[in-house]
Amino acid sequence: MTPYLLVPMISSLVCAVLATAIFVRDPAHRANRLAASMVAGVTVWSLCEVLWNLQTDPGPARIFLRLSTLGWVFIGPLSVDLMREITGELRPERRRTEGRLYAIAAMFLWASLFTPWLHGDMVATPWGWGYEVRPLHLVYLAFTVGCIVVGLDAGRRAYRTASPGERIQALSLGGGILVPLVVASATDSLLPAM
């Protein structure tokens, strides 16, 4: 095992603890369930990354790569849903839009699990395995970034009328969504595409 794998391994453990802590704080509160789902998704994603990089053969590595989709494919719709939930933008037409976003993400899930349209061949690397990024992966990235921008925009609009305490929480939440988005986009989509 290479030291690189400590990053996703620690990420998986930290996110598992955080998702649990968020959920148990108030499981009846929808925003808690959404936030816990986002963080739990990163747990699955990171764990699968560790597992695909520990494989000695590209076949099993590809299986774990595809299973990692369960962790990352719904991050965009979840972020929109979470931000609208905590900002109070709960109009029925917004709920229908969110349902469509989840449906689009489910199509990306299907494509990742059952086709080579998002990820191509596995590529041996010094730390384990990388993968070829296919054009549909970049479409998925644009979809997710677009969802997150919509969610952050809902937060920005609510920020204007928020209390000082809510503003601090909003900045933390926005940073907690934006920083991983930038890092994951660079390391898992843009750099492999080059």
Side-chain angles (χ1 to χ4, degrees):
M1 184 177 89
T2 65
Y4 159 78
L5 290 182
L6 289 174
V7 173
M9 197 176 293
I10 291 168
S11 173
S12 183
L13 292 171
V14 168
C15 287
V17 170
L18 289 174
T20 303
I22 292 167
F23 181 76
V24 300
R25 183 162 185 198
D26 187 0
H29 192 244
R30 188 167 187 273
N32 280 21
R33 292 192 309 269
L34 291 168
S37 296
M38 279 182 74
V39 178
V42 177
T43 301
V44 171
W45 179 4
S46 299
L47 178 61
C48 286
E49 185 171 350
V50 170
L51 294 172
W52 89 55
N53 281 296
L54 290 175
Q55 303 307 308
T56 56
D57 183 65
R62 184 176 296 105
I63 291 169
F64 285 114
L65 170 66
R66 289 182 174 184
L67 288 175
S68 75
T69 309
L70 298 168
W72 52 260
V73 77
F74 292 104
I75 286 176
L78 280 168
S79 66
V80 171
D81 204 355
L82 175 62
M83 291 302 280
R84 287 187 175 162
E85 180 72 25
I86 61 178
T87 60
E89 289 191 6
L90 304 174
R91 293 178 291 199
E93 65 274 8
R94 298 274 167 110
R95 289 281 185 223
R96 284 192 296 276
T97 300
E98 289 165 13
R100 290 181 189 109
L101 295 177
Y102 283 109
I104 292 168
M107 288 189 286
F108 283 114
L109 174 64
W110 176 86
S112 180
L113 290 174
F114 301 110
T115 74
W117 299 342
L118 269 85
H119 307 105
D121 293 332
M122 299 302 288
V123 179
T125 64
W127 61 87
W129 295 97
Y131 51 86
E132 292 178 348
V133 173
R134 295 283 171 88
L136 189 60
H137 186 93
L138 298 176
V139 173
Y140 164 78
L141 177 62
F143 165 76
T144 299
V145 169
C147 287
I148 291 172
V149 167
V150 168
L152 291 174
D153 185 55
R156 181 194 58 79
R157 286 191 308 274
Y159 185 83
R160 290 180 271 190
T161 60
S163 70
E166 289 172 327
R167 286 177 180 232
I168 292 170
Q169 290 176 342
L171 289 174
S172 297
L173 185 60
I177 292 172
L178 197 57
V179 171
L181 171 68
V182 171
V183 171
S185 297
T187 60
D188 289 359
S189 297
L190 301 177
L191 290 175
M194 295 180 167

